[in-house]
Amino acid sequence: MRRAAERRAKWRAQGHGEYAEVPEKEFFAAAKASERLVCHFYRDNWPCKVLDKHLSILAKQHVETRFIKVHAEKAPFLTEKLRIVVLPTLAIVKNAKVEDYVVGFDELGGKDDFSTEDLEERLAKSQVIFLDGEGSAFTAKQAAASKRSVRQSDTGNSSDSE
């Protein structure tokens, strides 16, 4: 228990637990300083603001991962180097290497009305966050889902073919 508290304190000292903007020149230092990092490449538009809302929630829930954002138009070197073409794009960084991307909303249902839990599940798939962490929104969703009977679904349709 004490080790976990020490780890969380170390993470918080590195900027974990908050969602902050960093300039282009600080991206690589941030990626090296944290074992797990989610970087939102954005510009000032509606889709990016939708993602901001979800990432600020997840940053507080998943202290094991650092969440940052970089203004793509002010970071031409970085966007070219990482081949960022579509905004918003999330770069998933583990051990100082970009391992995965979430480009636009295609993997989140293709619309801007996806839930924080949908994004959380996608990030967990990349193993950049842990779903068994304290306060995980996904954990609450899983617990609620497990209380449903086998025949119940999210849509209310009781078909067995789902």
Side-chain angles (χ1 to χ4, degrees):
M1 190 83 154
R2 184 174 178 190
R3 263 195 189 136
E6 289 172 0
R7 217 174 27 233
R8 279 193 295 277
K10 178 184 169 197
W11 287 333
R12 287 194 189 281
Q14 294 173 329
H16 292 228
E18 56 191 55
Y19 177 53
E21 183 164 359
V22 300
E24 178 179 44
K25 62 186 176 197
E26 292 178 24
F27 172 82
F28 292 106
K32 288 177 184 170
S34 297
E35 194 176 321
R36 289 169 300 282
L37 176 87
V38 174
C39 181
H40 175 204
F41 286 90
Y42 81 100
R43 70 173 175 218
D44 293 322
N45 65 14
W46 174 250
C48 293
K49 288 178 182 176
V50 169
L51 209 47
D52 278 341
K53 178 186 77 166
H54 295 296
L55 292 170
S56 60
I57 292 167
L58 291 175
K60 292 178 183 104
Q61 292 177 346
H62 292 281
V63 182
E64 74 276 9
T65 302
R66 184 160 183 207
F67 289 81
I68 63 172
K69 64 182 183 174
V70 172
H71 195 291
E73 293 167 342
K74 295 178 182 175
F77 170 78
L78 196 53
T79 54
E80 185 177 325
K81 183 164 178 66
L82 298 180
R83 298 184 183 111
I84 307 295
V85 179
V86 174
L87 298 176
T89 290
L90 297 180
I92 311 299
V93 182
K94 295 190 315 190
N95 299 313
K97 292 182 184 157
V98 177
E99 300 248 333
D100 196 7
Y101 293 95
V102 178
V103 180
F105 295 156
D106 289 347
E107 294 180 68
L108 302 167
K111 296 180 183 172
D112 65 6
D113 63 350
F114 61 91
S115 69
T116 301
E117 292 83 6
D118 291 336
L119 178 57
E120 186 176 37
E121 285 181 53
R122 175 57 184 87
L123 295 175
K125 185 176 160 189
S126 294
Q127 299 179 336
V128 73
I129 62 171
F130 305 128
L131 293 181
D132 57 353
E134 294 175 4
S136 167
F138 179 78
T139 305
K141 181 181 174 184
Q142 260 187 336
S146 68
K147 291 179 183 174
R148 281 192 225 112
S149 74
V150 174
R151 291 193 155 260
Q152 288 178 317
S153 72
D154 289 330
T155 60
N157 184 345
S158 62
S159 169
D160 287 339
S161 63
E162 289 183 352

